[in-house]
Amino acid sequence: MEYIVLSLVLLGIGIYGLVMKRNLLKVLMSIEIIAAAASMNFAVFGSVAGDSLGQVFFILALSVDTAMTAIVIALVLIAYREYGVLDIWDLSKLKKS
């Protein structure tokens, strides 16, 4: 039960960061916290059910999340080099015509 509460707290922190922060790296960290909460639920519910399928899903989600993070960090780095800003609102205003 404690792990489910921890997962809900992580989900709440991630959603708060996703809604309230404007820095692109902070938004990325919030998405990672949400993904960690979802992965934790896979492992917890798998262990409660007595099945190892939850752990398999956890490893799969962790590997997909790691690959996604690497791609997004590369895109953030390119955006920072190109425009010099990490603010989401400023990046949305920069449209090439």
Side-chain angles (χ1 to χ4, degrees):
M1 183 65 187
E2 305 87 34
Y3 294 112
I4 297 172
V5 173
L6 177 63
S7 178
L8 286 173
V9 168
L10 284 175
L11 182 67
I13 291 171
I15 290 175
Y16 171 77
L18 193 62
V19 171
M20 299 303 289
K21 301 299 178 187
R22 291 177 41 179
N23 189 333
L24 199 56
L25 290 176
K26 291 180 182 177
V27 170
L28 174 64
M29 287 172 43
S30 299
I31 292 171
E32 292 301 320
I33 291 173
I34 292 171
S39 298
M40 185 184 297
N41 276 335
F42 283 137
V44 168
F45 288 126
S47 68
V48 166
D51 193 12
S52 64
L53 191 60
Q55 294 174 354
V56 172
F57 278 134
F58 174 74
I59 293 172
L60 178 66
L62 190 65
S63 60
V64 169
D65 189 45
T66 304
M68 180 187 72
T69 302
I71 292 170
V72 170
I73 287 176
L75 291 173
V76 167
L77 188 61
I78 290 170
Y80 183 71
R81 284 184 184 168
E82 183 77 22
Y83 302 115
V85 292
L86 288 177
D87 193 343
I88 293 174
W89 297 108
D90 292 342
L91 281 174
S92 67
K93 292 177 186 175
L94 297 173
K95 292 185 180 177
K96 291 185 178 181
S97 49

